Amino acid sequence: LYSSAASDVYKRQDSRGCQTILTRNAVVRLAPLADFTNTTVCLGSATEFTNTTTFPSGTQSNPRYRWIFGQGVSESSLPSPTFLYANPGTYFVRLIATDDRGCIDTVQKEVIVNPLPSATITIDTVCAGEITRFNVISTIGNPIQSYQWDFGDGVSENSRNTSHRYSAGNIYTVNLTLTDINGCINTVQG
C-alpha cells in the first residue's frame, strides 16, 4: 500500500576516465483498500453488502469487483450486491477489488444468517366450554424473546404456555408466532 519511486543508479567509467551515469526509477503504485459492511439477517431475508472499498486518487475510474459468497459457485461483480442464502449459518465472504491499473486487494469477513425460531407445541382436545391448554414443549434456534398465540377465534395471548376457553365447538386454526433475540420471526401452526 505504499506509493514510492525508488532509483537505481549505475555508474560506469571508461578507459579515458569518463563517467556515464544511468538512473532508472521503479514506481510502486498504491493498491485499493478492499472493505465492506453487511447486514446480519434471518433465514429467508437477503443479506445486503455495502462496498466501502477506497481507491488511491486517480485509480477509481473503472474499478472491478468480484464477490465470493461462501457457497462455492455463487459470485457477483456488482459494486454492492445482495445475496439470499439457502441455509442459516456462518459464511466467509470475499471481496476482490481491482483498480483501473490492475492493482488488487482482497478482504474476507464472516457473514451470519440466523435460523428462524421454531417450537414443538401441544394443544389439548376438549369439549366446548372447557379450558384448552397450549404448551411449548421445546424450541429450536436462538433464545425466544416473545410468544404470541392466536387461538383462531379472534382472541390472542402473549405467553409461553397458556390456556383458553372456546365458547363453541369447532375446528380452530391455532398459530404461535415466535420472535427470538435476533428479531427473527416465525409462525408455527398447531
Side-chain angles (χ1 to χ4, degrees):
L1 297 175
Y2 293 96
S3 179
S4 66
S7 296
D8 291 330
V9 178
Y10 301 97
K11 294 181 183 178
R12 193 174 92 201
Q13 189 170 354
D14 64 14
S15 59
R16 292 175 293 175
C18 295
Q19 257 188 357
T20 303
I21 299 175
L22 174 66
T23 305
R24 213 169 60 174
N25 292 325
V27 177
V28 179
R29 300 185 193 283
L30 285 169
L33 181 58
D35 203 6
F36 66 90
T37 61
N38 62 275
T39 55
T40 298
V41 298
C42 303
L43 184 63
S45 296
T47 302
E48 296 178 8
F49 295 92
T50 302
N51 190 334
T52 59
T53 299
T54 55
F55 291 90
S57 178
T59 65
Q60 65 271 22
S61 63
N62 189 24
R64 293 179 310 280
Y65 304 103
R66 181 175 172 217
W67 294 86
I68 303 169
F69 296 114
Q71 287 206 312
V73 298
S74 302
E75 294 188 17
S76 175
S77 60
L78 295 173
S80 293
T82 59
F83 188 77
L84 182 63
Y85 288 92
N87 296 299
T90 301
Y91 298 91
F92 294 95
V93 174
R94 220 172 352 154
L95 168 61
I96 302 165
T98 307
D99 69 17
D100 56 2
R101 295 179 181 166
C103 293
I104 297 173
D105 191 34
T106 301
V107 64
Q108 179 172 294
K109 294 184 178 184
E110 285 186 2
V111 172
I112 297 171
V113 178
N114 289 304
L116 295 177
S118 188
T120 302
I121 61 176
T122 61
I123 302 171
D124 294 340
T125 301
V126 298
C127 297
E130 294 180 352
I131 293 176
T132 303
R133 295 191 195 324
F134 302 86
N135 295 302
V136 174
I137 302 301
S138 63
T139 60
I140 299 169
N142 292 309
I144 305 300
Q145 188 171 11
S146 71
Y147 300 83
Q148 174 71 45
W149 290 94
D150 177 349
F151 300 118
D153 64 351
V155 178
S156 62
E157 170 85 24
N158 294 326
S159 64
R160 179 181 169 112
N161 299 312
T162 189
S163 60
H164 178 64
R165 185 183 313 261
Y166 289 99
S167 60
N170 201 347
I171 297 175
Y172 297 94
T173 301
V174 176
N175 292 308
L176 172 60
T177 301
L178 306 162
T179 305
D180 72 14
I181 60 170
N182 293 314
C184 297
I185 299 172
N186 192 27
T187 300
V188 178
Q189 196 172 68

